[in-house]
Amino acid sequence: TERTFSILKPDATRRNITGAVNAVIEGADLRIVGQRRIRMSRAQAETFYGVHKERPFFGELVEFMTSGPVVVQVLEGENAVARYREVMGATNPAQAAEGTIRKTFSESVGENTVHGSDSAENAAIEIAQFFQASDIV
Ligand code: ATP
Ligand code: MG
C-alpha cells in the first residue's frame, strides 16, 4: 500500500463538487486518510509548483491556486500514485479519458479540478508540506 497527495483545486470548491470528486476517488479504492480545507497562500502555491516557475503559465497557475479554498488530501491504497493519476485523467481535460475526474468535471487545462503527485518520492515531500503525521489516520 502507498500514499499520494491530492488537491481539490479552487474550481472544485467554487462549483461545490468536492463530494462528487471524493466519490470518484473512493470508487477507485483510494482511501482518504487525511483531509483539510485551506486557503493556500501565495508563498505555499509558489513553493508547491516551484518546478514550473519558468513555464509561461506559472503566474496564472499561482493566481488560480490562491483564488479560493482548496481541499488538501492524503490518499492511501495499492499503487496509489499511479492509480490516482489514472483516475484524474490527462492534464488537459480535452484529452482525458472517459470516466476520469478531469473528463467529467474540468473546464480547461488551467482549471483542471485536481492535483495528484507524479511519484512516490514527490508524494512524501508534498504530504509533508501540508500534513503533520498525526493528522493522517
Ligand atoms: P498537477 O501537477 O496539478 O497534478 P499535472 O501533473 O497533470 O497536474 P503539470 O504538467 O504538473 O500537470 O502541470 C501542473 C498544473 O499546471 C496543471 O495541473 C495545470 O493546472 C497547469 N498547467 C499545465 N499546463 C498548462 C497550460 N498549458 N496552461 C495553463 N495551465 C497549465
Ligand atoms: Mg504535476
Side-chain angles (χ1 to χ4, degrees), residues 60-111:
E60 191 186 316
L61 178 57
V62 170
E63 279 306 311
F64 170 58
M65 291 302 291
T66 57
S67 69
V70 301
V71 178
V72 291
Q73 302 177 314
V74 181
L75 308 182
E76 190 174 88
E78 201 146 317
N79 296 316
V81 170
R83 180 168 295 184
Y84 191 43
R85 297 284 295 187
E86 205 175 300
V87 169
M88 286 168 31
T91 306
N92 185 346
Q95 278 143 30
E98 214 55 57
T100 61
I101 292 169
R102 284 166 169 168
K103 175 70 175 187
T104 305
F105 298 109
S106 305
E107 286 165 347
S108 69
V109 64
E111 308 204 354

Side-chain angles (χ1 to χ4, degrees), residues 5-7 9 48-49 51-52 55-58 60-62 64-65 84-85 88-92 102 108-118 126:
F5 179 70
S6 161
I7 304 176
K9 297 184 179 185
F48 184 76
Y49 278 122
V51 294
H52 295 308
R55 308 279 281 278
F57 57 80
F58 182 70
E60 191 186 316
L61 178 57
V62 170
F64 170 58
M65 291 302 291
Y84 191 43
R85 297 284 295 187
M88 286 168 31
T91 306
N92 185 346
R102 284 166 169 168
S108 69
V109 64
E111 308 204 354
N112 60 5
T113 316
V114 280
H115 161 80
S117 307
D118 56 15
E126 293 171 2

